[in-house]
Amino acid sequence: MDSSEQEKVDGDIGVEKKKDKTANGYGGDGGEPKGTASSADQDSGDFYDVEIEKSKGEKEEKPPQESKEESTSISSKTEEFNDKEITINSPKIYCNARNHYLPAIKSQAHLPKPDPPATPRVERSQSLSIAETMPSIGKYISDRSSSFSAAIVRRLSSWKEDNGDLVVKNDSLNLEVTEFHIPGVKVIVKLKSEAERLGLDLKGRISFFTRSNCRDCTAVRHFFREKGLIYVEINIDVFPKREKELIERTGSSQVPQIFFNEKWYGGLTALNELRNSGEMEVKLREMVGERCPEGAPPIPVYGVDDEEEEDDVLLETVRSLRKTLPIQDRLIKMKMVKNCFSGVDLVEGIMDHLDRGRKKSVITAKLMVQKHFFHHVFGENEFEEGNHFYRFLEHEPFIMGCFNYRSSTNDSEPKPASFLADRLSKLMFAILEAYASDDRLHVNYSGIDRSEEFRRYLNVARDLQRVNMKLLSPNERLALFLNLHNAMAIHAVISIGHPEGVLDKRAFFNEFLYLVGGYPYSLNIILNGTLRRNRTSPYSFFRPFSKGDRRLELAPPKLNPLIHFGLCNGTRSSPAVRFFTADGVESELRCAAKEYFQRGAIQFNMEKRTVYLTRIIKWYNEDFGTEKDILKWVMKYLDSTQSGLLAHLLADDGHINIMYQDYDWSGNL
């Protein structure tokens, strides 16, 4: 640098020092000049007198010295950010009692700039190490997170102005928002329970008695769930012995009956009065102090069987025969039959054990067959004394594949089939109420697996091993097989999982077995063998039952196509899981069909004159008739809009294309 340039620099610095002296109160008219820091300050260098801008409510005066500098201040300068101009307004900062200025440095254009640090060149064939790439990755993630958070904040701040994307759920607690959706983002707010909102530490207990498939009980359950209150439900269909306690406490067996600690409050009507009068808070505050007294309804005991079992009257004789009969493998009709015995040996064994004549012994043997202790090896007859061979139920080749079979068959006295059918439906109703969504399209299988209701259901399933199904009426039989199919599907998902491939589907539909009435049943056998009256399943050439199979005797007298909309196989495209009652099975099937079609099982393209039907109809088209018959049949179960569209297509007698929707095999979780 030559001498003339040095003098110019010294002169500039002197001028700046003089200005700084004036700004610090040693010259000028005083007052508080206005100035802001420039966005170019990051380059350092020249000193400027800068004051952070004051609040808008304060009026400021400029000293004469700053009239020229105002053009270089950035009080009105803006910064480019994301293609938008954002004015920088910073809070006022006082350096000391006499100085309202902060030094800002600006780089000198005539001074040499330092060279930037050299960046090592990386060849294309080389790869950066993790240590070298991590800062860039971290910066990228940080930037994306900041942008993501800013988008959420901006969206939340403007949701009142544009609530088209706002979806409010579960606002019964009088909270503003519990769940809302932003395009690409779902934010869920965890709600406080009623007790938490009131700041109460409840030590008491809310309990109520219910029954399965009870509308009023469902309303009470939903009320307490929406309030976020912990309660104890005593379902007298699950715990039948608690009904006696209910009658003793209330004088009636009607449900629901609600208790706050040991105090009986009433049913659904009383709960509605409590909610409408605003006295719910008072009731909750009464349970804040002491713990629940001993006089309150006790919590149900889980894992304990309170149902008594009676041994079969023939059990002692059967046990003796199992030990004494010559059970062995035999070649019969060119087939090797394992673990069988002859009818002659059986009659003689009964005569020796009971000390009876031959005629009475034959009657006893026939009674044993009716109770399914043993069967003919080929299913040819009930029992005949001649040269026929039989096999005990526990020796059947299919027995180990039955999931309601434990280490031995159930030798208790068979319970009435109508009692077991009713018990099964009530337990499964209770399971759905506790572990399925309100629309029954989603099921919590892990919760079911751990529940007391499912444990008791498995006991009922075991009782079905030797039940006499012939004693049921046609409607009772139809409801039982529908319920058994859906219950087995739930059990199969828990035990072997949802079917994903061809082999999984075979195991799920054909190899998952129950022993019912002395015979094996799979999901395929229940649907195609029993309910469809022994018709072939899709993509199969063989009927489930051979000629003379005794399970054909339990098939309904007439095929009802509505059964397809009452059966759930645990997939998303299947109908919603539900269970049926013997008295209302026909009307309940019609409701199931309407619900399924209105949920999207039929769609229309009016321009192309195309109807898109559920693939279930394609698989079982022989149950519905011709294509035109199918459309007329379906119309009875559509809503007004759907039936109007279909009627319009059918009115002009033109050609209608029928296509079938894809089937979603993923689980209904």
Side-chain angles (χ1 to χ4, degrees):
M1 183 182 297
D2 56 19
S3 59
S4 61
E5 291 178 344
Q6 181 65 40
E7 291 175 358
K8 184 177 179 180
V9 171
D10 295 339
D12 291 341
I13 296 176
V15 172
E16 295 303 327
K17 289 182 178 179
K18 182 178 179 180
K19 291 179 182 179
D20 185 52
K21 181 178 180 181
T22 303
N24 280 277
Y26 298 103
D29 298 331
E32 296 179 0
K34 182 177 181 181
T36 54
S38 170
S39 60
D41 292 344
Q42 60 184 354
D43 296 331
S44 303
D46 206 8
F47 283 90
Y48 280 88
D49 294 332
V50 179
E51 184 190 14
I52 303 303
E53 184 175 302
K54 295 182 66 177
S55 61
K56 295 181 180 179
E58 299 180 9
K59 188 174 181 181
E60 300 176 352
E61 297 180 357
K62 300 178 189 175
Q65 296 89 331
E66 292 297 316
S67 59
K68 294 182 180 180
E69 294 296 332
E70 184 177 5
S71 62
T72 59
S73 76
I74 60 164
S75 60
S76 61
K77 275 198 173 185
T78 57
E79 178 181 351
E80 292 292 330
F81 183 73
N82 290 337
D83 297 330
K84 295 183 179 179
E85 289 191 352
I86 304 176
T87 302
I88 306 298
N89 293 319
S90 302
K92 180 177 180 180
I93 301 177
Y94 292 90
C95 295
N96 52 52
R98 296 173 296 176
N99 186 9
H100 301 313
Y101 294 89
L102 294 175
I105 302 175
K106 186 175 181 180
S107 61
Q108 300 294 327
H110 55 274
L111 293 178
K113 295 183 178 180
D115 295 331
T119 303
R121 184 177 179 182
V122 180
E123 300 295 337
R124 294 178 62 91
S125 59
Q126 296 177 348
S127 60
L128 294 175
S129 64
I130 295 178
E132 292 173 324
T133 57
M134 281 305 294
S136 299
I137 296 174
K139 184 176 183 302
Y140 172 78
I141 295 175
S142 176
D143 293 343
R144 295 292 294 175
S145 300
S146 300
S147 302
F148 183 71
S149 301
I152 293 179
V153 171
R154 287 196 302 270
R155 190 61 184 168
L156 296 183
S157 63
S158 62
W159 74 270
K160 288 186 178 180
E161 300 176 2
D162 180 16
N163 59 358
D165 297 323
L166 183 66
V167 179
V168 180
K169 293 186 178 180
N170 192 19
D171 58 350
S172 59
L173 302 183
N174 298 322
L175 299 181
E176 294 182 359
V177 179
T178 66
E179 181 177 333
F180 45 88
H181 296 274
I182 303 170
V185 180
K186 181 177 180 181
V187 182
I188 300 177
V189 180
K190 183 179 180 180
L191 299 176
K192 291 184 178 181
S193 67
E194 187 77 3
E196 291 174 337
R197 293 196 334 146
L198 298 174
L200 304 178
D201 182 16
L202 297 183
K203 297 182 180 179
R205 182 193 305 155
I206 300 173
S207 54
F208 57 94
F209 289 83
T210 64
R211 289 185 186 274
S212 299
N213 199 27
C214 169
R215 184 176 300 176
D216 290 350
C217 299
T218 301
V220 172
R221 189 183 302 111
H222 283 178
F223 174 81
F224 288 122
R225 283 180 180 175
E226 290 174 353
K227 292 294 183 182
L229 297 172
I230 299 176
Y231 60 85
V232 174
E233 180 177 354
I234 307 169
N235 190 325
I236 59 179
D237 287 332
V238 178
F239 305 96
K241 289 193 173 182
R242 300 296 295 271
E243 184 175 4
K244 181 179 179 181
E245 176 190 348
L246 172 63
I247 296 174
E248 292 175 352
R249 289 180 178 273
T250 65
S252 171
S253 61
Q254 294 182 353
V255 292
Q257 298 296 340
I258 305 168
F259 288 80
F260 292 94
N261 286 337
E262 80 283 5
K263 298 178 182 179
W264 171 43
Y265 188 75
L268 179 61
T269 303
L271 184 62
N272 288 332
E273 293 176 356
L274 183 67
R275 175 177 54 186
N276 297 333
S277 63
E279 296 181 359
M280 187 67 187
E281 181 179 346
V282 178
K283 286 293 181 183
L284 294 178
R285 292 188 183 279
E286 292 178 357
M287 298 190 295
V288 171
E290 299 180 357
R291 291 187 177 276
C292 182
E294 295 182 358
I299 299 175
V301 179
Y302 290 85
V304 177
D305 293 323
D306 53 6
E307 300 179 9
E308 298 179 357
E309 299 285 345
E310 297 181 2
D311 288 340
D312 196 293
V313 294
L314 297 175
L315 181 58
E316 184 178 351
T317 304
V318 171
R319 287 176 176 172
S320 175
L321 294 173
R322 287 170 177 166
K323 296 177 180 179
T324 58
L325 285 178
I327 300 174
Q328 56 189 359
D329 300 343
R330 291 180 171 88
L331 183 63
I332 306 172
K333 296 182 179 181
M334 302 301 294
K335 293 182 180 180
M336 180 59 67
V337 180
K338 295 184 177 182
N339 300 320
C340 61
F341 54 87
S342 67
V344 176
D345 293 336
L346 177 66
V347 172
E348 292 179 354
I350 295 174
M351 292 173 60
D352 294 339
H353 180 75
L354 297 178
D355 194 15
R356 290 181 179 178
R358 181 172 295 274
K359 188 174 182 179
K360 289 185 177 181
S361 298
V362 171
I363 295 175
T364 302
K366 291 182 178 181
L367 184 59
M368 290 180 179
V369 172
Q370 293 176 3
K371 288 191 172 185
H372 303 292
F373 280 111
F374 54 83
H375 291 145
H376 191 280
V377 292
F378 299 129
E380 294 178 353
N381 56 60
E382 290 286 344
F383 179 78
E384 293 181 7
E385 185 183 0
N387 191 25
H388 297 279
F389 295 89
Y390 302 88
R391 183 164 44 201
F392 281 111
L393 190 59
E394 60 268 25
H395 293 154
E396 293 286 357
F398 57 77
I399 194 67
M400 298 306 298
C402 296
F403 281 75
N404 65 335
Y405 171 82
R406 296 172 186 174
S407 57
S408 62
T409 55
N410 186 1
D411 290 335
S412 300
E413 182 69 25
K415 296 176 182 177
S418 58
F419 169 80
L420 292 177
D422 182 66
R423 181 90 173 119
L424 185 149
S425 65
K426 288 179 177 179
L427 286 171
M428 298 312 296
F429 274 123
I431 286 176
L432 285 190
E433 291 164 356
Y435 301 101
S437 59
D438 292 340
D439 57 9
R440 291 165 285 102
L441 295 177
H442 305 282
V443 181
N444 179 7
Y445 292 98
S446 60
I448 294 175
D449 188 24
R450 299 189 300 267
S451 69
E452 174 67 11
E453 294 89 343
F454 187 66
R455 191 190 69 83
R456 293 183 177 237
Y457 158 75
L458 293 179
N459 290 338
V460 173
R462 188 168 182 262
D463 290 337
L464 293 173
Q465 291 180 7
R466 299 193 299 112
V467 67
N468 190 351
M469 301 284 287
K470 296 179 181 179
L471 299 178
L472 294 174
S473 66
N475 279 351
E476 287 178 330
R477 205 176 299 155
L478 175 61
L480 175 58
F481 277 114
L482 289 169
N483 293 340
L484 186 60
H485 178 283
N486 293 344
M488 285 179 63
I490 292 175
H491 191 184
V493 171
I494 293 173
S495 299
I496 63 178
H498 284 94
E500 297 180 357
V502 176
L503 296 179
D504 292 340
K505 291 176 184 176
R506 177 178 179 180
F508 189 88
F509 292 102
N510 296 323
E511 297 175 2
F512 185 88
L513 302 175
Y514 266 22
L515 178 62
V516 180
Y519 298 96
Y521 284 87
S522 65
L523 296 177
N524 178 48
I525 289 176
I526 292 177
L527 171 57
N528 299 297
T530 303
L531 296 177
R532 296 186 64 227
R533 296 178 54 83
N534 202 28
R535 297 191 179 187
T536 58
S537 59
Y539 313 112
S540 175
F541 300 100
F542 303 99
R543 298 178 183 272
F545 299 147
S546 59
K547 185 178 179 180
D549 195 312
R550 297 191 178 276
R551 289 171 289 184
L552 278 170
E553 300 174 2
L554 303 178
K558 184 179 179 181
L559 172 63
N560 186 350
L562 292 173
I563 60 171
H564 296 290
F565 310 108
L567 300 176
C568 177
N569 56 24
T571 60
R572 294 196 175 186
S573 287
S574 72
V577 58
R578 64 195 306 149
F579 295 91
F580 301 86
T581 60
D583 296 334
V585 61
E586 291 290 344
S587 61
E588 290 164 0
L589 280 173
R590 288 193 292 269
C591 291
K594 291 179 181 179
E595 177 186 298
Y596 187 57
F597 280 111
Q598 294 172 14
R599 206 181 49 151
I602 184 172
Q603 297 176 357
F604 302 90
N605 187 328
M606 303 302 291
E607 295 181 358
K608 297 182 179 180
R609 297 183 58 82
T610 302
V611 179
Y612 299 90
L613 290 173
T614 172
R615 193 163 289 270
I616 292 176
I617 293 180
K618 179 181 180 180
W619 289 337
Y620 304 101
N621 55 4
E622 64 176 312
D623 299 349
F624 298 94
T626 63
E627 289 189 347
K628 197 166 186 179
D629 293 337
I630 290 175
L631 295 179
K632 292 180 179 179
W633 182 88
V634 165
M635 187 179 293
K636 297 182 292 185
Y637 306 101
L638 305 181
D639 59 26
S640 56
T641 302
Q642 293 173 327
S643 60
L645 294 174
L646 185 55
H648 179 74
L649 292 175
L650 293 172
D652 55 5
D653 292 332
H655 178 69
I656 301 175
N657 299 315
I658 297 181
M659 301 187 69
Y660 297 94
Q661 305 168 3
D662 292 334
Y663 195 89
D664 188 353
W665 286 98
S666 56
N668 59 344
L669 301 175

